[in-house]
Amino acid sequence: MSHTTETRGRVSRRQRLELKSGRVKSTLTTRLASAAALVIAVLWTIPTFGLFVSSFREPDLIETTGWWTIFEHPGFTLGNYQEVLLSGSSSAPQLGEYFINSLFIAIPATLFPLVLASMAAYAFAWIKFKGSSTLFVLVFALQIVPLQLALIPLLQLTVTFLHPLMGGISDVLPFVPDQQYLPVWIAHTIFALPLAIFLLHNFIAEIPSDVIEAARVDGAGHGQIFLKIVLPLAMPAIASVAIFQFLWVWNDLLVALVFSSGTAETAPLTQRLAELAGSRGQNWARLTAGAFVSLIVPLIVFFSLQRYFVRGLLAGSAKG
Amino acid sequence: MTSLDLLGKILQFATGLLVFAAVVAVIMVVLDRTGRGEKRNTLQLVLFLGPALALLAIGLIYPAIRTSFMAFTDRAGEFNGMDNFVWMFTQEEALITLWNTVLWVIFVPTVSTAIGLIYAVFIDKSRGEKFYKMLVFMPMAISFVGAGIIWRFMYAYRSENYEQYGLINQLIVTFGGEPQQILQNTPWNTFALIVVMIWIQTGFAMTVLSASIKGVPAEQHEAAMLDGASPWQRFVNVTIPGIRSSLVVVITTITIATLKIFDIVRTMTAGNFETSVVANEMYTQAFRSGEPGRGAALALILFVMVTPIVVYNVRVLIKQKEIR
């Protein structure tokens, strides 16, 4: 607080040094502020931590004592995980199967929109045509059309066109596997496009035009420029959008509920977990372990690719 | 799961990827074959832009228009005028749903932005800033379903004769209160759900605002300091104006996410005990109760609520394009 009484020209020597070195520490970061920050950090971490501890406790202990009494009531087990992942009985969660569904839904539902969006973003940025800006603004505006507005008719389209089409294909080519994931892939791809096109366009449009011009002079067409110059240069942006899309799809419940069959054939983890939480909402041994199984992939992605995740977040918001 | 099931899934997965790769490869080959010239340029444009635009037209524009018409039909698909909207604004349950959505939109963006901002300022340039950020940011990576389960566990209830295992009720008991059925007691249960969304969104607000705070020129702070401004004055007169555009972005983004919130309500109460929100009710009406008309009407209301924010953002975007 000593600075407050200082006036112009009466700056202490130490302060001047601090100013010079540009390392003026905000006086707001006093001890009180640090304490407040610590409280927030603890409040934000405790819920997940409690779930994590509980998932390793004996089932009867979870439901009789608090997880914070773990030292008074010790008893660790991996049994909860074993049961939710691998249990053979049909009534058990058997999350292993749903885990694979989540993976097989999320990977294509990340790749498809990214490829299509980077192509579209390139066209908006580097192919001149009439109405380019208007069309781009329209695509951007679509970004905020709530998913809910599209669900019912899109599901009807799936039933009237996609299912008969798949049936027809398997009549002619019986060796082609029945594509049960397809509706979910398509839905996720469509819903991801507006934002992905917008973000990638922002990045691709920033590529220096000299680079593109030079390639054109060398006789490269749009296809080659896109593949050999734009894609490699746009990789950082593509990576961060990919992380976002992957987490979004992995964590999604609504699209899965509407477009997957809801059975172990196609339903992702989130759907199975939501079901468990609803039907046997108090079986905490299963729920805690199950929730953690569903958290593992996003948390790994988060911790290992945090830098890109944050970068994507900032790119998405700074210009939105 | 038998290994045959697994094999089937792997085959589906591989076929899907292969077919997609083949389509993209064909597009690229065609692009490669076309040289220069006006006509060919149009073909290239269609190849680059066509797939995305076609999907958007089929999957977003057409359905949105369809839903708008559907909002004026009954469960048999016959035109019924404003009946669905009359239902929405007169039935008690539907009104509760609308009111709850208003509560969500008031509290989630403001509280999570405020806490995110406070936290970002407090940890700015402190030791271990990255670690601090990570702790609050982590819930962003967790699914709403996962978060719902985490918080249901926090809110877990047992009658007062038993030891509590839900942390919140334990705290209530420790301070001399009676354990509460937090998720069933209206109106507080809606706030219990709102807390979950705040828990998730604060990390987003904090990250964006923190980056923005670091972008405020140090000279401005120094100048204010030399003028004798107190830390609080500097925060209000230097930091806040410096991060204004980011604040707007954070609040609008969280508001949009909050309007569409579905998973948290679905996982934690399924909309029972007067906790439903528009997006959840839309799903229930359209896909569970066989009332697509009502579902469509609710979706349309959601759209109307989002529209001002869309218009605002589009205007900002157009302005940016003009500057460029």
Side-chain angles (χ1 to χ4, degrees), chain A residues 57-233:
Chain A
R57 299 186 73 205
E58 304 276 0
D60 47 336
L61 281 174
I62 301 181
E63 284 163 40
T64 50
T65 60
W67 54 266
W68 53 90
T69 64
I70 184 123
F71 293 112
E72 292 163 52
H73 307 278
F76 286 96
T77 173
L78 287 172
N80 301 333
Y81 284 94
Q82 200 182 353
E83 199 204 313
V84 296
L85 279 174
L86 308 166
S87 166
S89 81
S90 57
S91 66
Q94 292 176 304
L95 291 183
E97 207 164 343
Y98 295 89
F99 190 92
I100 289 179
N101 288 339
S102 274
L103 212 56
F104 283 1
I105 288 172
I107 292 172
T110 304
L111 282 174
F112 296 174
L114 265 173
V115 172
L116 298 180
S118 45
M119 285 164 60
Y122 173 79
F124 278 124
W126 294 105
I127 302 180
K128 282 203 184 78
F129 63 99
K130 235 176 129 189
S132 168
S133 316
T134 317
L135 202 55
F136 181 69
V137 170
L138 178 75
V139 170
F140 173 74
L142 280 182
Q143 183 192 150
I144 327 179
V145 168
L147 234 149
Q148 280 84 357
L149 204 58
L151 287 180
I152 311 172
L154 194 57
L155 184 67
Q156 288 170 347
L157 282 181
T158 315
V159 176
T160 31
F161 292 107
L162 203 59
H163 290 308
L165 181 72
M166 293 315 299
I169 290 178
S170 64
D171 282 348
V172 184
L173 306 166
F175 52 86
V176 174
D178 198 16
Q179 293 291 326
Q180 307 219 35
Y181 293 127
L182 194 59
V184 191
W185 290 341
I186 294 178
H188 275 304
T189 303
I190 291 169
F191 296 137
L193 280 175
L195 183 63
I197 293 175
F198 175 68
L199 292 178
L200 293 176
H201 169 271
N202 283 347
F203 195 90
I204 290 174
E206 298 285 315
I207 293 172
S209 55
D210 318 6
V211 179
I212 311 270
E213 284 307 323
R216 256 183 219 151
V217 171
D218 286 349
H222 282 303
Q224 281 171 321
I225 295 176
F226 174 71
L227 280 180
K228 292 188 180 142
I229 297 171
V230 170
L231 272 192
L233 285 176

Side-chain angles (χ1 to χ4, degrees), chain B residues 61-75:
Chain B
I61 298 177
Y62 161 76
I65 296 170
R66 236 349 271 272
T67 306
S68 309
F69 284 112
M70 206 183 282
F72 301 94
T73 61
D74 61 14
R75 53 193 305 162

Side-chain angles (χ1 to χ4, degrees), chain A residues 4 6-8 11 15 19 24 27-29 33 36-38 40-41 44-48 51 54 62-68 97 100-101 104 108 111-112 115-116 119-120 122-124 127 129 135-137 140-142 144 146 148-157 177-181 185 190-191 193-194 198 216 222 224 226 251 253-254 257-258 264-265 270 273-274 277 281-282 284 287 291 295 298-299 302-303 306 309-310 313-314 317 319-320, chain B residues 1 6 9-13 15-17 20 24 27-28 31-32 36 41 44-45 47-49 51-53 55-56 58-64 66-67 70 115 119 121-125 132 134-143 145 149-154 158 163-167 170 198-199 202 204 207-208 211 222 225-228 230-231 234 249 256 260 262-263 267 279 282-283 286-287 292 299-300 302-303 306 310 313-314 317 320-321 324:
Chain A
T4 54
E6 302 280 354
T7 51
R8 212 186 292 254
V11 187
Q15 231 179 355
L19 287 178
V24 189
T27 32
L28 269 177
T29 33
L38 192 68
I40 296 177
W44 253 249
T45 315
I46 277 183
T48 318
L51 187 88
S54 300
I62 301 181
E63 284 163 40
T64 50
T65 60
W67 54 266
W68 53 90
E97 207 164 343
I100 289 179
N101 288 339
F104 283 1
L111 282 174
F112 296 174
V115 172
L116 298 180
M119 285 164 60
Y122 173 79
F124 278 124
I127 302 180
F129 63 99
L135 202 55
F136 181 69
V137 170
F140 173 74
L142 280 182
I144 327 179
Q148 280 84 357
L149 204 58
L151 287 180
I152 311 172
L154 194 57
L155 184 67
Q156 288 170 347
L157 282 181
D178 198 16
Q179 293 291 326
Q180 307 219 35
Y181 293 127
W185 290 341
I190 291 169
F191 296 137
L193 280 175
F198 175 68
R216 256 183 219 151
H222 282 303
Q224 281 171 321
F226 174 71
N251 289 337
L253 175 65
L254 182 57
L257 275 176
V258 176
E265 302 261 282
T270 46
L273 271 176
Q282 301 303 323
W284 290 111
L287 273 178
L295 298 189
L299 286 186
F302 170 71
F303 281 115
Q306 208 194 136
F309 188 26
V310 172
L313 197 93
L314 295 178
S317 59
K319 299 194 177 178
Chain B
M1 174 173 44
L6 182 61
K9 286 180 181 184
I10 294 174
L11 265 178
Q12 277 190 56
F13 176 71
T15 321
L17 287 181
F20 183 77
V24 173
I27 292 180
M28 288 302 152
L31 276 173
D32 220 34
R36 281 152 180 258
N41 208 5
Q44 290 181 328
L45 187 65
L47 288 174
F48 268 115
L49 213 48
L53 289 188
L55 280 175
L56 286 177
I58 298 169
L60 224 46
I61 298 177
Y62 161 76
R66 236 349 271 272
T67 306
M70 206 183 282
I115 300 179
Y119 191 73
V121 171
F122 282 176
I123 62 168
D124 194 37
K125 292 177 195 139
Y132 269 116
M134 204 180 67
L135 292 181
V136 170
F137 188 49
M138 203 173 63
M140 275 286 290
I142 295 173
S143 68
V145 176
I149 292 175
I150 289 177
W151 280 90
R152 271 190 47 186
F153 193 60
M154 291 284 286
R158 291 176 96 206
E163 198 175 336
Q164 298 295 322
Y165 60 86
L167 186 62
Q170 175 66 52
I198 292 173
W199 181 69
T202 298
F204 166 73
T207 309
V208 174
E222 286 159 15
M225 207 148 119
L226 294 178
D227 283 341
S230 71
R234 270 187 285 141
V249 168
I256 292 171
K260 297 191 249 180
F262 162 78
D263 324 36
T267 321
M282 182 268 159
Y283 177 82
F287 298 103
L300 202 59
L302 211 54
F303 180 67
V306 175
V310 184
N313 277 278
V314 166
L317 178 73
Q320 272 177 2
K321 282 231 148 194
R324 214 171 261 176

